[in-house]
Amino acid sequence: MSVSQSNRVHVPIILILLASGTPVSAQGDSEDRIGLPRDPQTPVIELFTSSGRADSRRPDRMLVVTADGTVAVAAGNGVARQSSARLSRDELLDLLSDLISTHRILQCRSDQLLQEAERAGRAAGLDWKFPKATTTIIRIRLSGGVHEVRCTAAELLAERFPDAESVQNFNGALLRLQNLIAVTQIGGAAEAQRLCDIANSELRVTGDRRNGVTARDIQSVRENRQGLRLVQFHLSQDDNGDSPNALISVVESQDSPAQVTITPLPRRER
């Protein structure tokens, strides 16, 4: 992935669901079955967010990926510049395969997500309605049509209801797109690998036996006007549960070396 930068943005990861657009039939992960639009400028993947405030304007488009692999990330959340990149055709098809095959985004429907969250909430005695939370919209446009799905407080719902399959799929697709945003913001694969090396060096010092983090584990990027940058990774617990989930924060600036903080997160029930 080649990258040019004119700004970085942190996309909120709190969301819930609403309507759906024209459905697209599920397709496989090969180029022929995915069916990219012929026009290279056609938006293939779009990510929007909309505040739950009563005075909220139309949804803000935070990410767009076109059929030729161009990635554009919007400014926002205290980050002053936009970011852009270019995916190769294989990288674009791999991204679509993750969304379609792994996270089954084309099978997610807004009404289905809401019903699933309600059932899980009633069964667990937990709230599933968060009207003031941010709504996230994922839109996929392929040669067969357009599929749009909305979810409010998706990350919160996914954490609260781990057995809600459609909610987990939507949140997984969202996290995949947030990772693309973050890697674009920091400057692409080479810079992502440099930051991974810094984080993994600290993990080795602590004696952590896991394989470490990769660029896919980058969750978010924040910068301020003074040039301070915070990059956060999510490290999943190991298979036997001996090492818990952890949040790895790498903070660096032009005037000081990187500082790494590893924060254990609550263990996932097995």
Side-chain angles (χ1 to χ4, degrees), residues 17-21 109-111 137 148-151:
L17 39 264
L18 296 159
S20 175
R109 300 193 319 272
S110 300
D111 57 347
I137 305 163
E148 179 179 300
V149 60
R150 304 178 177 218
C151 184

Side-chain angles (χ1 to χ4, degrees), residues 14 33 37 41 68 70 89 136 182 216 219 235 255 262:
I14 299 184
R33 297 181 66 189
Q41 302 305 312
D68 65 355
T70 299
R89 193 168 186 84
T136 293
R216 284 287 186 92
Q219 276 197 331
L235 181 62
D255 301 325
I262 302 174

Side-chain angles (χ1 to χ4, degrees), residues 20 27 49 54 60 68 90 130 157 160 163 182 207 242 251:
S20 175
Q27 303 175 54
T49 62
D60 295 317
D68 65 355
D90 286 345
F130 305 95
L157 292 177
R160 183 164 287 192
D163 296 326
D242 290 338
V251 179

Side-chain angles (χ1 to χ4, degrees), residues 60-219:
D60 295 317
R61 188 167 72 173
M62 308 306 294
L63 169 72
V64 58
V65 183
T66 57
D68 65 355
T70 299
V71 179
V73 177
N77 297 291
V79 183
R81 296 170 295 173
Q82 297 177 342
S83 303
S84 62
R86 184 69 173 267
L87 300 177
S88 69
R89 193 168 186 84
D90 286 345
E91 288 172 330
L92 175 58
L93 292 171
D94 180 62
L95 172 61
L96 284 166
S97 176
D98 279 349
L99 298 176
I100 294 170
S101 299
T102 303
H103 302 299
R104 301 178 64 82
I105 192 64
L106 298 185
Q107 279 72 52
C108 289
R109 300 193 319 272
S110 300
D111 57 347
Q112 174 193 41
L113 286 167
L114 187 56
Q115 293 165 8
E116 191 176 88
E118 180 178 357
R119 286 195 301 270
R122 291 187 184 279
L126 297 172
D127 198 358
W128 68 92
K129 294 181 179 179
F130 305 95
K132 295 184 179 180
T134 297
T135 295
T136 293
I137 305 163
I138 296 176
R139 181 183 297 161
I140 306 293
R141 181 181 285 103
L142 300 175
S143 58
V146 179
H147 181 73
E148 179 179 300
V149 60
R150 304 178 177 218
C151 184
T152 303
E155 187 189 36
L156 178 57
L157 292 177
E159 180 180 354
R160 183 164 287 192
F161 307 124
D163 296 326
E165 183 178 4
S166 294
V167 172
Q168 295 298 326
N169 282 335
F170 183 91
N171 192 59
L174 172 62
L175 292 175
R176 179 68 172 92
L177 295 179
Q178 288 176 333
N179 174 254
L180 173 62
I181 287 171
V183 172
T184 302
Q185 290 169 341
I186 63 177
E191 178 66 3
Q193 185 58 54
R194 184 186 71 83
L195 291 162
C196 288
D197 291 343
I198 292 172
N200 289 330
S201 177
E202 184 67 20
L203 281 172
R204 287 192 294 271
V205 169
T206 64
D208 194 295
R209 297 181 179 180
R210 283 171 287 193
N211 292 329
V213 295
T214 70
R216 284 287 186 92
D217 298 312
I218 298 175
Q219 276 197 331

Side-chain angles (χ1 to χ4, degrees), residues 18-53:
L18 296 159
S20 175
T22 304
V24 181
S25 59
Q27 303 175 54
D29 56 1
S30 71
E31 180 173 354
D32 291 339
R33 297 181 66 189
I34 284 179
L36 291 173
R38 292 185 177 182
D39 183 352
Q41 302 305 312
T42 299
V44 175
I45 302 167
E46 294 173 281
L47 176 67
F48 300 83
T49 62
S50 178
S51 169
R53 301 191 313 269

Side-chain angles (χ1 to χ4, degrees), residues 218-236:
I218 298 175
Q219 276 197 331
S220 64
V221 181
R222 300 297 296 268
E223 290 188 342
N224 65 20
R225 294 181 179 179
Q226 289 71 45
L228 190 70
R229 180 169 70 177
L230 166 65
V231 179
Q232 292 187 314
F233 298 79
H234 182 269
L235 181 62
S236 298

